[in-house]
Amino acid sequence: MSDSMIITKLLNSAVQSIKTVIPLTFTIGEPKRLNGNVVEAHLGVLVGMTGDCKGQTILKGPTNTFSQLALAMFGMPVENEILISFTGELGNMIAGNLSTFASEQGVEMDITPPTVWEGNTTLHNIKTPIELTMNFEGAGEMSLIISVA
């Protein structure tokens, strides 16, 4: 299976996963290929992909977006250490469901534990990253990046 076919299946699985995990209506921008390293100045989570499909799934966005997503999912605002924990768990839930949906399409993979960062971060060795920007009703914008090694 070609990398472009795998990435298409992963992006479709990611959208399906997000619809399953996050109870908000959202719009999706056109997928775009990123050039260079991924730099984020807010909050993000990286979950590695292993097995037949190796790479990374990255969610990044403003801190307020993650806080509003937590409010929509759990009915209460979160901040500080709880927001960091929520962000990691959100990445874990989305990547876990993505893995399940992808396996139904013939892409076998496992996921690694999530790594959360805040502030300015540059991620090196991210290969062929494809970004989807999503705007969640009442919560704001978040980006999903899929990279396949």
Side-chain angles (χ1 to χ4, degrees):
M1 192 178 313
S2 70
D3 281 354
S4 64
M5 184 178 281
I6 289 172
I7 288 172
T8 299
K9 289 182 178 199
L10 291 175
L11 289 172
N12 289 335
S13 295
V15 170
Q16 189 175 1
S17 174
I18 290 165
K19 287 179 181 177
T20 300
V21 172
I22 300 174
L24 293 175
T25 302
F26 63 99
T27 57
I28 304 170
E30 288 293 317
K32 65 180 178 182
R33 186 174 179 169
L34 298 176
N35 294 317
N37 299 327
V38 178
V39 178
E40 180 53 51
H42 300 291
L43 190 58
V45 57
L46 179 146
V47 178
M49 298 181 292
T50 65
D52 294 340
C53 180
K54 294 173 179 42
Q56 296 84 26
T57 301
I58 300 165
L59 294 172
K60 64 177 190 157
T63 302
N64 189 54
T65 297
F66 284 97
S67 183
Q68 290 301 308
L69 292 174
L71 177 63
M73 293 173 70
F74 301 113
M76 57 187 252
V78 297
E79 56 186 31
N80 302 320
E81 294 82 24
I82 303 296
L83 180 59
I84 300 301
S85 179
F86 166 78
T87 301
E89 188 54 35
L90 179 65
N92 199 42
M93 289 187 292
I94 289 172
N97 278 297
L98 183 158
S99 176
T100 299
F101 294 134
S103 73
E104 293 170 359
Q105 297 183 51
V107 179
E108 296 298 323
M109 59 182 266
D110 291 312
I111 61 171
T112 67
T115 300
V116 178
W117 79 85
E118 53 184 332
N120 294 325
T121 300
T122 302
L123 302 174
H124 297 276
N125 298 321
I126 301 293
K127 305 226 187 302
T128 62
I130 305 294
E131 180 178 32
L132 276 182
T133 301
M134 299 160 289
N135 194 328
F136 292 89
E137 188 176 297
E141 190 172 282
M142 179 174 72
S143 291
L144 168 88
I145 299 169
I146 300 278
S147 171
V148 175

